[in-house]
Amino acid sequence: PANTLLSLAWVIGCLFFLGGCTQLAAWIATRGFMPLSGLMFFSALLQIVLGCVMIFHPAPVMIALPFLFAFWLLVEGVNLAISSADFRRVGFRYWWCVCCLGILAACFGAYCLFNPNTGVDSIAWIIGLGIIIDGIGDWVKVAMVNKVQKRFVRRHDRLKEVEDIT
């Protein structure tokens, strides 16, 4: 079990680092039209830092892994729920899906944070389920961003045509 947790800490560190870099890139791309994206930036930095710590110091991290994961999932869930408000503001009709997934992820993170024995006993299941919930929320966010971006491009093109005519 110790070797498994040690390996898991290193692999998850790599995933956190890559996920944080991806989320940072998404924040850079969307910050102009998502005014509530500050938590997305915080979440990206948190993931990058946690990833680096897990990669370079996996032994102490394996002990704290259930708590780190629970805290990360809590932050990510809140981030998804707040992001849904931005999507509602720009008119995406399925914003509530992201909100529900965010609340579910945050509740799951809070449960694991206050019940660490659950996290230790079934760390692989909890991590897998948490990553799946967060990943689904991220995919829905990507779909929403693409749809909003296409809408902005169409409006921009129409304004450009009107400008060219005048």
Side-chain angles (χ1 to χ4, degrees):
N3 288 338
T4 301
L5 278 178
L6 188 63
S7 300
L8 196 56
W10 192 83
V11 169
I12 291 172
C14 291
L15 292 174
F16 268 56
F17 181 78
L18 292 174
C21 291
T22 303
Q23 192 163 14
L24 186 61
W27 174 78
I28 290 169
T30 62
R31 69 178 179 214
F33 65 89
M34 290 181 64
L36 300 176
S37 65
L39 191 60
M40 183 188 292
F41 176 73
F42 173 72
S43 176
L45 289 181
L46 178 68
Q47 287 183 58
I48 291 170
V49 169
L50 282 175
C52 288
V53 169
M54 288 179 177
I55 290 168
F56 297 113
H57 303 289
V61 171
M62 70 182 215
I63 296 167
L65 195 58
F67 295 104
L68 291 173
F69 174 72
F71 181 69
W72 169 78
L73 193 55
L74 184 63
V75 169
E76 278 297 301
V78 171
N79 181 24
L80 282 173
I82 290 174
S83 293
S84 71
D86 281 331
F87 289 115
R88 181 179 182 198
R89 183 177 299 140
V90 296
F92 190 75
R93 68 178 189 197
Y94 296 112
W95 63 270
W96 58 270
C97 290
V98 175
C99 187
C100 290
L101 288 167
I103 291 169
L104 181 63
C107 290
F108 194 63
Y111 176 78
C112 293
L113 192 62
F114 294 111
N115 296 306
N117 289 336
T118 303
V120 172
D121 292 342
S122 56
I123 187 107
W125 283 101
I126 289 173
I127 288 173
L129 185 60
I131 289 172
I132 288 170
I133 291 169
D134 183 54
I136 291 170
D138 286 341
W139 277 105
V140 172
K141 272 185 4 183
V142 166
M144 286 186 218
V145 167
N146 287 336
K147 187 172 184 172
V148 169
Q149 181 182 10
K150 287 176 186 175
R151 187 181 309 154
F152 283 141
V153 167
R154 282 194 306 264
R155 287 181 184 165
H156 175 73
D157 290 344
R158 281 190 222 137
L159 288 174
K160 189 72 170 167
E161 289 173 8
V162 170
E163 186 179 287
D164 290 341
I165 292 172
T166 59

